[in-house]
Amino acid sequence: MYQTLLTELQDGNLVITINRPDKLNALNKDVIQELGNAIDEVYNNSEIKTAIITGAGEKAFVAGADISEFTSLDASGGESLAKKGQEHVFDKIENCPKPVIAAVNGFALGGGCELAMACHFRVASENAKFGQPEVNLGLIPGYGGTQRLTQLIGKGKAMELLMTADMVNAAEAKELGLVNHVWPLADLMVKAREICQKIQGKAPIAITKVIYCANEAARGDADGFANEIKRFGECFATEDMREGTGAFVEKRKAVFKGK
Ligand code: COA
């Protein structure tokens, strides 16, 4: 179905694998187009409850935007490339009502680091390496990297990584708060799927509201607190809230329906 991606739906979890291992899964136009379409599938297919994005092979998650496509671009071409990517892929991932996790299995550089950061959270293998090396190319990040890196690790550390183009390894990325867990590569997908299964056991409407609220906090949205109050109230109108609180009182496990 896709030329540059592999997708596999299992137990309500869609694994999206960027599949250009000979180019270290670099994001060319086709990948951006297909990744956006795959995210649309996550939005629209009710069988999909959670998603994981990862890269093919054992070396790279994504080694950046495809630099070979940059050489022919002028200023407006560059701007529309960034705009299309942000709208069609990165913002759509961030605002996805269902959890999208990055399983970073190697290099996550430039657009790869930005892709991982657009996901709701990140787990990584021990060989993962993160960085925003755009200044090496006379560029800056264009897929949200300056914004999300600053949100995730704070201004001082973000400025240093953006200016030096230094890579950080998985342990350093964990220390910075860029990734939540680091596992051996062989365990990465198993562990990432386990987290997805755990989340799938929770109330889906509440999960969506958590995503929206936390995104607003990260963006410094002025309405974050007010929207939390509103959404908290909305939860009381769901069957799942009756089920969750009822099950607690009855000392049994809640079974949520997403209603
Ligand atoms: N765009 C296009 N092609 C890329 C790429 C990118 N971002 N990253 C890697 N590739 C290609 C290489 O050109 C090479 O292709 P080839 O075999 O046809 O020559 C192939 O992927 C393997 O990469 P190579 O550089 O040979 O691997 P390496 O192990 O020596 O180095 C990296 C790995 C990640 C350090 C190196 O590939 C690199 O610096 N990539 C660019 C990172 C970057 O600047 N990203 C930000 C882009 S805005």
Side-chain angles (χ1 to χ4, degrees):
M1 184 170 151
Y2 295 109
Q3 305 303 311
T4 64
L5 307 177
L6 304 170
T7 55
E8 186 202 14
L9 178 57
Q10 194 191 325
D11 301 326
N13 183 56
L14 185 74
V15 176
I16 301 168
T17 305
I18 298 160
N19 189 29
R20 298 182 74 208
D22 54 327
K23 296 289 178 191
L24 305 187
N25 304 319
L27 303 174
N28 64 8
K29 281 201 190 85
D30 294 341
V31 180
I32 291 292
Q33 185 59 45
E34 293 196 336
L35 204 44
N37 297 350
I39 299 303
D40 287 339
E41 228 188 292
V42 178
Y43 274 68
N44 298 327
N45 182 345
S46 60
E47 282 175 35
I48 301 173
K49 313 291 185 196
T50 55
I52 299 173
I53 299 179
T54 193
E58 302 198 337
K59 194 168 166 186
F61 172 71
V62 166
D66 192 317
I67 298 167
S68 66
E69 288 184 350
F70 285 1
T71 50
S72 59
L73 295 179
D74 60 8
S76 78
E79 187 175 333
S80 41
L81 179 110
K83 188 165 189 287
K84 164 140 203 231
Q86 288 203 18
E87 286 172 357
H88 187 62
V89 177
F90 295 75
D91 291 353
K92 229 155 53 180
I93 292 172
E94 181 168 274
N95 297 319
C96 184
K98 303 172 190 176
V100 183
I101 298 170
V104 180
N105 58 308
F107 288 113
L109 302 176
C113 190
E114 291 172 294
L115 180 63
M117 293 193 295
C119 294
H120 296 138
F121 60 90
R122 289 140 293 284
V123 297
S125 54
E126 289 164 344
N127 60 315
K129 285 204 164 63
F130 296 80
Q132 296 290 162
E134 286 84 353
V135 291
N136 286 335
L137 305 168
L139 285 169
I140 67 167
Y143 289 148
T146 62
Q147 305 302 295
R148 292 196 182 95
L149 189 64
T150 306
Q151 288 168 359
L152 282 167
I153 70 172
K155 181 176 159 185
K157 287 165 181 164
M159 284 277 197
E160 183 180 346
L161 291 185
L162 291 164
M163 289 183 198
T164 59
D166 280 349
M167 286 189 216
V168 294
N169 65 28
E172 291 164 330
K174 189 173 171 204
E175 208 175 304
L176 288 168
L178 196 50
V179 301
N180 295 4
H181 303 280
V182 178
W183 296 300
L185 182 58
D187 299 340
L188 178 67
M189 291 310 293
V190 176
K191 297 280 195 183
R193 284 176 202 270
E194 278 174 16
I195 295 181
C196 288
Q197 288 313 119
K198 182 186 275 189
I199 296 171
Q200 283 187 33
K202 316 302 176 193
I205 295 170
I207 294 292
T208 299
K209 292 180 187 300
V210 163
I211 292 169
Y212 295 164
C213 288
N215 277 342
E216 287 167 2
R219 290 194 293 255
D221 194 314
D223 296 330
F225 283 94
N227 286 339
E228 185 185 277
I229 292 169
K230 189 165 145 279
R231 293 184 185 123
F232 178 78
E234 287 167 1
C235 290
F236 285 75
T238 64
E239 280 180 34
D240 282 350
M241 180 271 177
R242 301 293 148 203
E243 167 65 10
T245 52
F248 179 82
V249 172
E250 291 160 22
K251 300 189 186 304
R252 62 176 174 81
K253 195 174 180 313
V255 181
F256 295 114
K257 294 186 188 142
K259 289 183 182 163

